[in-house]
Amino acid sequence: MPTDSPAPADTPRTPPAPAAQVPAPFPERAALPDPGPAPTLRDPDAQAPGPGGPPPATPRGYRAVFAVAEFRAVFAAHLLSLLGVVVSELALTVLVYDLTGSPLLSALTFALGLLPYIVGGTLLAGVADRYPARRVLVVCDLLCAACVAVMLVPATPVAGLLALRCLVAAIAPVFTGTRMAALTDILGEGDLYVLGRSLLRIVSQSAMLIGFGTGGMLLTVLSPRGAITVTVVTFLCSAALLRFGTQDRPARAGTGAGGTLLKESLSGARLVLGDRRIRALMLLFWLPAMFVVAPEALAAPYADAIGASPAALGLLLCAMAVGHIGAELFVGSALSPRNRSRIVLPVAAVGLLPLLVYAARPGLPLALAALALAGAGAAYVIGLDQWFVDAVPQELRGRAMTLLTAGLMTVQGLGMALAGLAAEFFPVHQVVAGSGIIGTVCTLLLVAEVRRTDPRRMSYTEERDGADRHVTSR
């Protein structure tokens, strides 16, 4: 376990915002000021300007995020562990199939990477606020490394492999939620945090493209267990980077946190989901993601339906990620915080409309264009990240973000399952188009709810109603 240690010399110079007190229940929050431009950060190794000399260039955008040494350690750890996880998923699927010859068990290996998220994210969420963030992150990495190491033992039965897969998946939302909350300490609660989250999302999307290709190449020269060994190394490297590259900070909930871990986790979930504003924002993360996965879940049967080659199937699976990465890089680097906030609701409202192209049973070029546009629609979450961190009190932030992560993975798994079920009764292209229609209607209703819970709008409504009551009482 890590011990208290002084902060590294090159930690960011802008201290995190002071902790907010947790209201119970949450009152309606006042209007929040625009986060403004990113805080000024200087490279610690840069030379100070001489008298009368020009001021040093100030990093802006994504460069400003990478100027923070702690974030560089978090970024590298995320990249390593994510690549390892993707490689292990592919290798473990092949290993289970080799041992059993069962397509069902092989597919179940992938599904078990999603289903336990809701269990870990709900029952273990209190870990994120109860213990120091660095300790939680390092212990999660070490536990995952230990689980994967047991998978390497030839005597481990298939049931044991699947159980270990579930355990790793249950730990994942705790790790991710803790890291998301820790970013507010490392980068502050403004624009740097938003851009940092954006970079981690871009890495996640890129890892899916690179990781499966890397895993496929490894499996041509290594056995499945040999490829899984790579994951053990990446988890250990991630733990080392987080232990020695980030500052040790006290637990977010403070030393006065009481009750059992399960009680804290469930009470945190009740507080988060009981707040109308936080609930609406969380659903805006979840709902479009639930419907947008339909074309990916049905990519193989759709490619077969239009007579596409296996190479075309790979393009169908990659197109949405490519669109997401391109749009997120553009929005994060070209738009100001104010403009990123302005596009959240409009882009969320129309983000699923490209899927309606599937109603015409398009060929490969048009389908790829529609998928890339649907992926680009996910760029609204950059501004939504800022709204969410503004809405959640600091003492609940770890639990809220763990629940957000768990719910996001769960609804995507549910969306894939429902799309597959619908495709048993309707043509694939109709199922994808129907997902676009139903998802758009649901998102529009949710957008209206997010508008109603906007603190600025509610503050104005309360002032107006108060003025009306004052006039009536005369």
Side-chain angles (χ1 to χ4, degrees):
M1 292 292 179
T3 56
D4 291 340
S5 60
D10 50 359
T11 49
R13 288 154 172 76
T14 304
Q21 296 298 317
V22 182
F26 300 124
E28 303 296 351
R29 293 179 177 81
L32 296 164
D34 185 84
T40 301
L41 294 172
R42 291 178 54 243
D43 187 335
D45 301 323
Q47 297 290 330
T58 301
R60 300 181 65 84
Y62 289 118
R63 288 181 58 203
V65 181
F66 279 117
V68 181
E70 280 190 272
F71 178 79
R72 294 197 296 270
V74 171
F75 181 86
H78 177 61
L79 178 60
L80 282 172
S81 63
L82 193 58
L83 284 174
V85 166
V86 174
V87 170
S88 72
E89 285 179 346
L90 181 59
L92 186 60
T93 300
V94 173
L95 177 61
V96 170
Y97 185 74
D98 288 345
L99 293 174
T100 65
S102 169
L104 174 61
L105 290 176
S106 179
L108 186 61
T109 306
F110 265 114
L112 290 177
L114 296 175
L115 299 179
Y117 262 75
I118 192 62
V119 177
T122 303
L123 303 184
L124 303 177
V127 171
D129 292 321
R130 187 183 182 111
Y131 302 103
R134 188 178 72 176
R135 184 185 305 172
V136 172
L137 296 174
V138 172
V139 170
C140 284
D141 267 338
L142 294 178
L143 286 174
C144 290
C147 290
V148 176
V150 177
M151 294 179 187
L152 300 176
V153 178
T156 304
V158 172
L161 293 174
L162 297 180
L164 291 166
R165 181 77 175 97
C166 286
L167 185 56
V168 172
I171 294 171
V174 178
F175 179 90
T176 304
T178 304
R179 185 186 60 206
M180 288 169 61
L183 280 183
T184 62
D185 299 324
I186 295 171
L187 299 174
E189 299 179 2
D191 196 45
L192 285 189
Y193 166 79
V194 173
L195 294 178
R197 284 277 297 127
S198 172
L199 282 170
L200 296 185
R201 266 196 306 271
I202 291 170
V203 169
S204 298
Q205 293 290 327
S206 303
M208 297 300 293
L209 303 178
I210 299 170
F212 283 126
T214 303
M217 289 188 292
L218 283 174
L219 288 172
T220 63
V221 296
L222 298 174
S223 67
R225 281 194 168 92
I228 292 173
T229 306
V230 174
T231 304
V232 180
V233 176
T234 58
F235 276 132
L236 293 176
C237 290
S238 173
L241 283 167
L242 294 169
R243 172 61 181 85
F244 299 106
T246 62
Q247 180 181 349
D248 194 20
R249 296 177 174 87
R252 191 173 301 278
T255 57
T260 64
L261 175 60
L262 178 60
K263 182 179 179 181
E264 284 185 27
S265 301
L266 295 178
S267 65
R270 283 194 296 270
L271 287 171
V272 168
L273 295 176
D275 181 88
R276 183 181 176 187
R277 174 67 174 175
I278 298 175
R279 184 174 63 248
L281 295 178
M282 194 171 284
L283 288 172
L284 194 57
F285 279 105
W286 291 349
L287 196 63
M290 178 178 176
F291 290 97
V292 81
V293 297
E296 290 183 322
L298 301 175
Y302 187 73
D304 181 63
I306 62 175
S309 66
L313 172 60
L315 292 176
L316 288 171
L317 290 171
C318 294
M320 195 173 293
V322 170
H324 186 174
I325 293 170
E328 185 134 4
L329 283 172
F330 172 79
V331 172
S333 58
L335 299 186
S336 67
R338 183 184 297 273
N339 287 332
R340 289 199 294 266
S341 181
R342 286 174 175 169
I343 69 169
V344 170
L345 298 183
V347 173
V350 301
L352 295 172
L353 290 180
L355 299 186
L356 271 62
V357 171
Y358 271 75
R361 200 173 180 268
L364 183 63
L366 190 55
L368 291 175
L371 291 174
L373 284 174
Y380 76 93
V381 299
I382 301 183
L384 188 60
D385 277 332
Q386 184 66 68
W387 293 3
F388 192 73
V389 78
D390 288 340
V392 179
Q394 187 180 22
E395 288 83 354
L396 280 175
R397 199 164 286 157
R399 281 168 284 181
M401 292 182 174
T402 300
L403 186 62
L404 171 63
T405 302
L408 185 60
M409 297 300 292
T410 301
V411 299
Q412 289 183 85
L414 180 61
M416 290 180 179
L418 291 175
L421 178 62
E424 292 289 328
F425 303 96
F426 303 97
V428 171
H429 67 282
Q430 293 181 6
V431 173
V432 175
S435 296
I437 294 171
I438 298 172
T440 298
V441 172
C442 294
T443 303
L444 287 173
L445 296 173
L446 186 55
V447 164
E449 172 66 5
V450 172
R451 287 187 185 277
R452 285 192 292 268
T453 60
D454 188 333
R456 292 167 295 184
R457 180 186 180 93
M458 297 181 72
S459 177
Y460 169 77
T461 302
E462 290 170 358
E463 291 178 2
R464 182 195 62 194
D465 292 346
D468 290 343
R469 286 193 299 269
H470 182 67
V471 170
T472 304
S473 64
R474 284 185 177 179

